[in-house]
Amino acid sequence: MGLDLNKLEHLIAVAEEGSITRAAARLHLSQQALSTSIRVLEREVGVPLLERATTGISLLPAGTALVEDARVLRGTACSALQRARRIGRGEKEVLRLGHTPAVTGEEVIALLRQVTAAHPHLATDVNQRYPDELTAALLAGDLDIGLCRAMPPPHGLARTTLGHQPLNIAVAADHPFSTRPSVALAELADQHFVVWGQPGHSGYTDLLISHCRAAGFEPRTERTPLQGTPPATAVIGTDRLAFVTTPPGPAAGGAVRVLALDPPLYAPLHALYSPRTTSPAKDTFLATATL
C-alpha cells in the first residue's frame, strides 16, 4: 500500500509541534480531522508512531524513522513538481545554490565561474543560509546545492568534497601579531579564537578545535555575535583571532591582517545535495565545480 503524502505531512507537523492542537492550527485542520488522519496512518503502517501523554505527544522510534524519510519524500515530490512545471512552461534551468557564512563569496564566485564557463547558458540563484536553514532548504527541495565546511550530511542528503582551502589566521590591524607574515598554530595557545558555531554543535567549529588540539592545546573560543558577516571581519576592534580562508595580507579595507599558518592547515569545502532529485543543474555543478 502506498503512503499518502498528505498524511505524512500531518505526521511531520505533529512531530514538530509536539501537540495535536498546535499542529492542527498550523495545518488549518480541526483537531478531530488531524487525529483521525494520524490514526489512519498508523493503521496503514501497522505499528504505533506516536506516544500520547498528558504532557504532550512524542515520537516513538518508528515515528522518528518515518518522519525522517517523510521529509525526504516531501522534498523529492516538491522538486519533481517544480521541474515538471518549469519544463511545461518552457522556463530556463536555474541552479539554486546556498552557502553557509563559512564559505566566502570569493569561493562561491570561483566555483560558479567554472560552471558557467562550461555551461554558459545556465542561470544561477545564490544566497547565504545558516547551517540549519541550508539543510532544511535542501531537504524541502528549495535548493539544488548547499556549500559548507565539515557539516555532516543529515538523513536524506549526500556530501561530496569539492576541494581544500588553506586555513589562515585573521587578526585586527593593531594586534601584536599583525606585523608578522605567518604564525605557527602552537604559538596561539594563549589566544582567544572567534568561532561561528558552538563546539559540539558545529562540524566546522569542531574541525578547527581539532586542529588546535593536534597542535598541543585546548583553544579558548567564543561565538561571534556578527553572524552572517564575512569571517575576517569578526576580529575588527578586538584582540581575538579567527580561522579564515581569506588569503594572507590586508583585508577588510586594511582593518584586518591575515597571517599564513606555518606549517599549513586546510579546511574542506563540501557540497550537500539530494541524491534522489532529478536536476540537470545540480549534476552540472557537481561534474564541473572544484577547488
Side-chain angles (χ1 to χ4, degrees):
M1 178 183 296
L3 288 173
D4 185 332
L5 288 178
N6 285 327
K7 291 188 180 68
L8 292 179
E9 189 68 36
H10 296 168
L11 179 65
I12 291 172
V14 172
E16 292 176 348
E17 298 294 339
S19 161
I20 289 287
T21 302
R22 291 193 297 270
R26 166 174 151 181
L27 296 167
H28 305 290
L29 294 172
S30 69
Q31 295 183 41
Q32 180 179 358
L34 180 56
S35 296
T36 299
S37 175
I38 296 298
R39 285 196 297 270
V40 171
L41 178 61
E42 288 181 309
R43 286 199 299 270
E44 291 175 349
V45 175
V47 295
L49 302 173
L50 300 175
E51 183 171 1
R52 299 161 175 86
T54 56
T55 55
I57 290 179
S58 59
L59 290 171
L60 293 168
T64 298
L66 187 55
V67 166
E68 288 178 342
D69 288 336
R71 290 192 175 109
V72 177
L73 289 171
R74 177 178 62 182
T76 303
C78 179
S79 181
L81 181 61
Q82 292 174 356
R83 179 169 180 260
R85 287 173 174 168
R86 185 174 63 250
I87 292 173
R89 294 167 180 168
E91 295 174 351
K92 194 173 185 179
E93 177 85 8
V94 177
L95 173 67
R96 302 165 303 166
L97 186 146
H99 66 94
T100 66
V103 180
T104 66
E106 291 79 6
E107 290 169 319
V108 174
I109 290 171
L111 293 171
L112 291 180
R113 280 176 180 159
Q114 298 176 36
V115 176
T116 55
H119 303 272
H121 300 296
L122 180 64
T124 58
D125 180 10
V126 181
N127 55 81
Q128 181 176 278
R129 303 284 184 103
Y130 294 118
D132 288 346
E133 296 172 345
L134 186 78
T135 54
L138 287 165
L139 286 169
D142 295 330
L143 288 177
D144 301 306
I145 295 288
L147 299 178
C148 61
R149 296 194 190 281
M151 283 175 55
H155 181 79
L157 298 182
R159 188 180 79 176
T160 189
T161 302
L162 302 178
H164 292 79
Q165 290 285 83
L167 279 171
N168 300 306
I169 298 294
V171 299
D174 59 354
H175 192 281
F177 287 162
S178 64
T179 58
R180 298 180 55 172
S182 64
V183 65
L185 185 55
E187 296 180 76
L188 308 180
D190 295 331
Q191 301 293 317
H192 285 81
F193 289 84
V194 172
V195 295
W196 280 260
Q198 294 290 358
H201 300 279
S202 164
Y204 186 41
T205 297
D206 291 345
L207 172 69
L208 300 178
I209 289 175
S210 71
H211 281 314
C212 294
R213 289 171 176 165
F217 67 96
E218 186 69 26
R220 291 177 285 179
T221 63
E222 59 186 59
R223 188 170 184 263
T224 178
L226 303 175
Q227 295 291 315
T229 57
T233 63
V235 299
I236 296 176
T238 78
D239 61 354
R240 293 345 191 195
L241 283 66
F243 286 98
V244 297
T245 55
T246 306
V256 174
R257 190 79 185 179
V258 179
L259 319 178
L261 278 171
D262 184 20
L265 294 172
Y266 297 89
L269 179 59
H270 290 127
L272 295 176
Y273 62 94
S274 171
R276 295 171 177 83
T277 58
T278 301
S279 169
K282 174 190 71 179
D283 297 340
T284 294
F285 181 90
L286 294 174
T288 310
T290 184
L291 286 180

